[in-house]
Amino acid sequence: MSELVPGGNVPLPGGPVLLRVPGGLDVSALITDDGGTVGGDGDFVFYNQPDAPGTRLRDGTLTVDPRRLRAGATRVTVAVSPAVPGALLSDSPSPALHVTDAAGRTLARFSPPRPRRETVLLLAELYRRGEGWKLRALGQGYADGLAGLARDFGVAIVDDAEDSGTLAPPPADPDGFLELVNSARAAAGSRPVAADARLTSAARAHAGAMAAGGALSVETRDGVSVHQRVVLAGYAYLTVGEHLVSGPRTPAEFVGHCLRTEGARRTLREAAFTHAGWGHVTGGPSGDTYWTVLWAVPLTPDGLDRATGEVVELTNRERARAGLPALAADPRLTTAAQAHSADMVARDFYSHTDPDGGAPWDRAAAAGATRRTVGENIACGQRSPAEVVEGWMNSPGHRANILKTGFTHIGVGLAGGGRAGMYWTQLFGG
């Protein structure tokens, strides 16, 4: 039996698995493909729609048989929400996930950090890896209920007796903003981005908060950063970028402004981004027009694995230049590193020592790592593996960890949604 931490995973046996959350919370599940989107409203399993191929919800227990899922399904994401609509999870007993096989043997347990403002929490996901299946602990929260959760996966819930869900239409674009943006991206050889309603909601909220305060700022007077607004709107991201601008009055003026400035032009043309959301508000003390435009890549298990794997690759490239042997990936160090990144986001801190006093070697030991020496690098705000490794190499203390001869293994963690955006952890062992 495994006690999981955020980001930790465990292989699943063949056959059905049962997932239960005591405490009277509502359990739901979304069945998706590799792209993280549902095939239709029938892929959302909840109290009003308790059955789908390979998935059944009865008396608060979710039973998933990966062999019987619909064709093309590669992931089942499990969420919990209060039984009373609109209530906060912080008003309920802290959720704890119990996972068993069909014979009742316990496979894993997961107790995420206690939720605060969230009304829905993603607890775990079952995902296909090669010919088998694994379970990964998540702990990612949403502030806008099942509707936000469903939108994140491509379904909008219609709460009436005759229709349990319909596919969500894309956000409207009456000003032609997206056409202008994608034309500029095409000129640079970048693929188009798609409009996302959650990103647009977060962008409008942040633009309004900046206008009310009369200043451009990543974090507005209400104490909420633009990165936190993205997650609160229901978009779990692998990477996110933003434009915060005042002055332009139309989309054409905004795009023109970005194309004249090197940093803004680079973000607008960034090939990795797949989704965008935008908002502008005129008002406040100055009467200026304030813009927030958000660019993002959604969080997926494969995307997370690729990003953290690239950090390992770039780290080993630096070691090779110094004539040092490569570090081997250690799944236990990876579990501890991912847990620390997720914890920094969830509990809004940035430190090698967590709020409970835990140090890097404590986290490594808790994850089952048996390395005699442990070191840690952390960073926040960088948007790519290349950017974060470059930053560490330009810092003497972090560079010393990367090039330390006594280290033989490494784990990397990455989580988005905190005050500073993305939070990175490298955990070394020797």
Side-chain angles (χ1 to χ4, degrees):
M1 191 273 292
S2 296
E3 289 280 357
L4 296 177
V5 296
N9 61 74
V10 61
L12 296 176
V17 293
L18 285 72
L19 302 101
R20 183 173 59 89
V21 182
L25 297 169
D26 284 336
V27 180
S28 54
L30 292 116
I31 303 158
T32 61
D33 55 21
D34 286 333
T37 57
V38 299
D41 56 295
D43 283 345
F44 189 22
V45 176
F46 64 121
Y47 52 84
N48 273 348
Q49 186 170 271
D51 292 283
T55 309
R56 183 182 66 202
L57 180 62
R58 295 289 187 277
D59 299 322
T61 296
L62 183 71
T63 302
V64 180
D65 187 346
R67 301 168 303 178
R68 301 182 182 280
L69 294 172
R70 61 149 174 94
T74 59
R75 180 165 45 143
V76 179
T77 303
V78 182
V80 292
S81 56
V84 178
L88 299 178
L89 280 166
S90 58
D91 297 331
S92 305
S94 189
L97 176 67
H98 297 249
V99 185
T100 62
D101 63 14
R105 290 184 292 267
T106 299
L107 303 174
R109 289 189 299 209
F110 173 49
S111 298
R114 185 166 182 81
R116 296 180 294 176
R117 294 171 291 181
E118 295 87 347
T119 57
V120 170
L121 192 71
L122 300 185
L123 276 182
E125 60 187 2
L126 292 78
Y127 63 101
R128 189 170 64 196
R129 178 65 72 208
E131 297 300 316
W133 283 73
K134 303 181 79 172
L135 180 135
R136 189 199 307 270
L138 296 176
Q140 174 70 59
Y142 289 79
D144 56 349
L146 287 179
L149 171 68
R151 285 196 309 271
D152 198 9
F153 291 81
V155 173
I157 297 304
V158 178
D159 190 12
D160 59 45
E162 299 187 4
D163 190 357
S164 60
T166 59
L167 292 179
D173 184 19
D175 296 330
F177 178 88
L178 200 63
E179 182 179 354
L180 289 166
V181 162
N182 282 331
S183 176
R185 289 175 63 84
S190 298
R191 61 184 173 178
V193 290
D196 186 275
R198 295 153 297 167
L199 293 177
T200 294
S201 174
R204 288 172 177 166
H206 198 75
M210 290 193 301
L216 296 174
S217 55
V218 171
E219 182 175 323
T220 49
R221 289 182 179 178
D222 55 8
V224 182
S225 80
V226 66
H227 311 107
Q228 290 170 315
R229 291 189 202 279
V230 173
V231 173
L232 290 172
Y235 190 103
Y237 63 82
L238 181 66
T239 185
V240 68
E242 73 282 342
H243 281 116
L244 308 179
V245 176
S246 65
R249 294 161 297 176
T250 66
E253 289 182 10
F254 172 84
V255 172
H257 167 84
C258 291
L259 293 177
R260 289 192 298 272
T261 308
E262 181 180 355
R265 181 170 60 246
R266 189 184 312 116
T267 299
L268 186 149
R269 292 176 170 177
E270 171 57 54
F273 292 133
T274 57
H275 293 93
W278 59 95
H280 56 93
V281 174
T282 301
S286 65
D288 286 340
T289 299
Y290 289 83
W291 289 77
T292 299
V293 179
L294 295 166
W295 317 86
V297 177
L299 177 66
T300 65
D302 287 345
L304 179 62
D305 289 346
R306 282 194 301 271
T308 56
E310 189 175 344
V311 172
V312 174
E313 180 183 345
L314 291 169
T315 298
N316 281 331
R317 192 177 300 173
E318 296 294 343
R319 287 177 64 87
R321 288 172 180 161
L324 298 171
L327 301 172
D330 182 322
R332 293 179 176 85
L333 292 178
T334 298
T335 295
Q338 182 62 36
H340 189 55
S341 287
D343 194 27
M344 287 191 288
V345 169
R347 294 202 276 178
D348 194 17
F349 74 97
Y350 177 65
S351 173
H352 293 289
T353 304
D354 66 40
D356 300 322
W361 40 89
D362 300 319
R363 293 188 287 272
T370 56
R371 303 296 164 190
R372 290 177 296 177
T373 58
V374 171
E376 184 179 79
N377 286 343
I378 59 175
C380 64
Q382 296 83 359
R383 294 173 181 164
S384 70
E387 187 179 345
V388 74
V389 172
E390 180 183 6
W392 280 327
M393 288 300 293
N394 288 332
S395 166
H398 298 101
R399 179 186 179 93
N401 272 339
I402 288 175
L403 301 182
K404 186 170 181 176
T405 58
F407 288 146
T408 58
H409 290 76
I410 187 174
V412 176
L414 164 63
R419 195 174 300 275
M422 299 169 67
Y423 288 68
W424 307 78
T425 302
Q426 279 183 318
L427 198 57
F428 304 92

